[in-house]
Amino acid sequence: MNPKTDEIDGTTAGEAVGLLDDELADGAAVADGDEADGDEADEADETGEADDEQDAAEVAGAGPAVASGVAAGAAAVVSAGLGLAALTGTWTGKVASERETLIGQIEAQGGTAAQQISEIYGDAWHTTALVNGVFALLALITAVVVLTRPQRPAWVRAVAVAGAVLGGIGLFLSVGMYFDLFLSLPTAS
């Protein structure tokens, strides 16, 4: 091989092979070092490598290391969804309401008009309010749990606040609906 004719970018073929050998040797040394340090790395994982990262973050002035926030973000979205479901109603509430309507129709046969109204419509109305209230309460509890956890990303806190507001409004409306505060059942004349 002629070093003068086999030059690429000022490097001869012989020099390139030498550089390649050096890189391979360095890679083998690193690999050997990794194998030797493998036991130490396993021990570091067992003793709390996460603690070291948290300590490093605290030393840097960032406070405790911020968690990934995936679970908190999911919980915040769930709380907003539950709050929205409490306001708009759910399939579960509709089924429970229809069940109460059917039971009311069976029980109210031959009763007075006021008794029929209460059995057929009132119980279904209150069942819907109860189911929506449960969803609202779950939304409120989930949102409060997310908000009480420290150092969550801003978007997680914003969605959790939205879930808490929707849950609070849903709970307020459900209680008012259950106790006939907003609209009362029709009366028989």
Side-chain angles (χ1 to χ4, degrees), residues 13-37:
E15 291 172 343
V17 170
L19 290 173
L20 183 60
D21 287 341
D22 289 343
E23 289 178 18
L24 290 175
D26 289 342
V30 169
D32 290 340
D34 287 346
E35 289 175 8
D37 293 339

Side-chain angles (χ1 to χ4, degrees), residues 25 51 55 58 70 73 98 122:
D51 292 340
D55 292 343
E58 288 175 357
V70 173
E98 289 177 3

